[in-house]
């Protein structure tokens, strides 16, 4: 008499259930591959073509790159994005990791769930809608924290959004909208740390700070690296926040504040898509170089 397991096997000996799962896996991967080619690889290839050709399609070498780098607006835009990324990434890595460890250490399950929900909710607001909400928050005459803004010496919306304040403002907006999701992800990563390891550390006399510093942080290194790479990729694409603030402030915030805005101006005001493509490739190179630092320092692809 054959068993159920034997009956489920094909003549080759491979379980039918395993073959079915493999077929479903290939179907999902194929769908992703099609979308990646259509909306990732082909646009990137077209941008590469535009960056090295002129308006007539002739090979232009690095002429488009020298044009945009020599533009008087380019280096200020690089500085703006660099300051924003520095504040944003440092605050994200430090505060998200700290908050995730604190939430994980909370003993009451209901309180832990409530905190995760509270942190996550701001991320449910779409990017443009979030910036519109912050337009009211940053206006001392309408903000629910107007008293705090006036205490800091800001009496008008234009004073708050002065260009010198923008890197910090954009970092705060980005943290408010994006940190909650990463806190939830880090919380899940902390749950994967063996309870026996934590208990052994406690038996050896380690306190909460020592456990976090010597056990949890080293085991979160790859997740922190992954968070850094994804946040870096998003941060280099700074566009919506300065664009909306520029329109709301009657150009007190310049419309060429970020590199993406400068590329937008080249493409849709100067009709120079080749220069815009050159800026996009420069952004790609910079993002890849910085991501390589996170990969190597974070050991993202190291095997445990």
């Amino acid at each position: 008499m054959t068993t159920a397991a034997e009956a489920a096997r094909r003549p080759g000996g491979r379980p039918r259930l395993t073959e079915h799962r493999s077929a479903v896996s290939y179907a999902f991967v194929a769908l992703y591959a099609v979308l990646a080619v259509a909306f990732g690889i082909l646009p990137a290839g077209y941008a590469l073509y535009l960056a090295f050709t002129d308006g007539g399609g002739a090979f232009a070498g690095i002429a488009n790159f020298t044009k945009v780098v020599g533009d008087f607006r380019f280096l200020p835009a690089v500085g703006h994005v660099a300051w924003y990324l520095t504040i944003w990434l440092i605050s994200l890595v430090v505060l998200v990791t700290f908050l995730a460890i604190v939430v994980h250490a909370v003993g009451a399950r209901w309180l832990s769930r409530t905190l995760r929900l509270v942190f996550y909710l701001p991320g449910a607001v779409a990017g443009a809608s979030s910036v519109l909400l912050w337009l009211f928050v940053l206006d001392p005459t309408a903000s629910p924290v107007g008293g705090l803004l006036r205490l800091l010496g800001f009496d008008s919306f234009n004073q708050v959004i002065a260009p010198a304040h923008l890197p910090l403002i954009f970092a705060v907006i980005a943290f408010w909208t994006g940190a909650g999701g990463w806190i939830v992800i880090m919380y899940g990563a902390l749950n994967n740390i063996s309870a026996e390891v934590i208990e052994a550390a406690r038996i050896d006399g380690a306190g909460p700070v020592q456990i976090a510093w010597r056990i949890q942080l080293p085991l979160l290194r790859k997740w922190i690296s992954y968070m850094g790479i994804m946040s870096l990729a998003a941060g280099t694409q700074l566009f919506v926040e300065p664009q909306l603030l520029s329109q709301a402030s009657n150009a007190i915030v310049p419309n060429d504040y970020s590199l993406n805005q400068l590329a937008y101006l080249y493409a849709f005001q100067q009709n120079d898509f080749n220069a815009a493509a050159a800026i996009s490739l420069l952004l790609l190179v910079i993002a890849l170089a910085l991501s390589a630092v996170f990969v190597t320092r974070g050991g993202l692809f190291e095997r445990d």
Side-chain angles (χ1 to χ4, degrees), residues 218-219 221-223 299-304:
L219 293 177
R221 187 178 61 153
K222 291 183 178 181
W223 289 99
L300 192 61
F301 297 116
E302 293 178 359
R303 300 182 64 180
D304 295 327

Side-chain angles (χ1 to χ4, degrees), residues 84-237:
Y84 159 68
L85 283 176
T86 301
I87 299 172
W88 159 231
L89 292 179
I90 292 176
S91 62
L92 188 74
V93 169
V94 174
L95 294 178
V96 163
T97 306
F98 172 75
L99 291 173
I101 291 175
V102 170
V103 172
H104 188 265
V106 173
R109 182 174 297 181
W110 67 269
L111 181 56
S112 175
R113 291 176 177 175
T114 302
L115 289 174
R116 278 179 282 159
L117 177 63
V118 169
F119 287 136
Y120 182 76
L121 279 179
V125 182
S129 302
S130 173
V131 179
L132 291 175
L133 174 62
W134 275 89
L135 292 179
F136 292 97
V137 175
L138 296 173
D139 186 351
T141 62
S143 174
V145 293
L148 176 61
L149 292 175
R150 286 188 290 272
L151 184 63
L152 294 174
F154 303 120
D155 297 318
S156 67
F157 178 68
N158 291 343
Q159 288 180 329
V160 175
I161 62 168
H165 306 153
L166 292 178
L168 179 59
I169 289 174
F170 293 148
V172 170
I173 294 175
F175 187 88
W176 185 78
T177 55
W182 287 114
I183 291 173
V184 174
I185 292 173
M186 289 293 178
Y187 180 90
L190 287 167
N191 283 336
N192 288 328
I193 298 176
S194 173
E196 287 78 9
V197 174
I198 303 297
E199 187 61 29
R202 289 198 182 102
I203 293 174
D204 289 338
V209 175
Q210 291 177 309
I211 291 174
W213 185 257
R214 298 184 179 275
I215 297 176
Q216 292 175 319
L217 280 179
L219 293 177
L220 284 177
R221 187 178 61 153
K222 291 183 178 181
W223 289 99
I224 294 173
S225 176
Y226 175 69
M227 177 177 64
I229 292 172
M230 298 302 292
S231 301
L232 174 66
T236 55
Q237 306 304 312

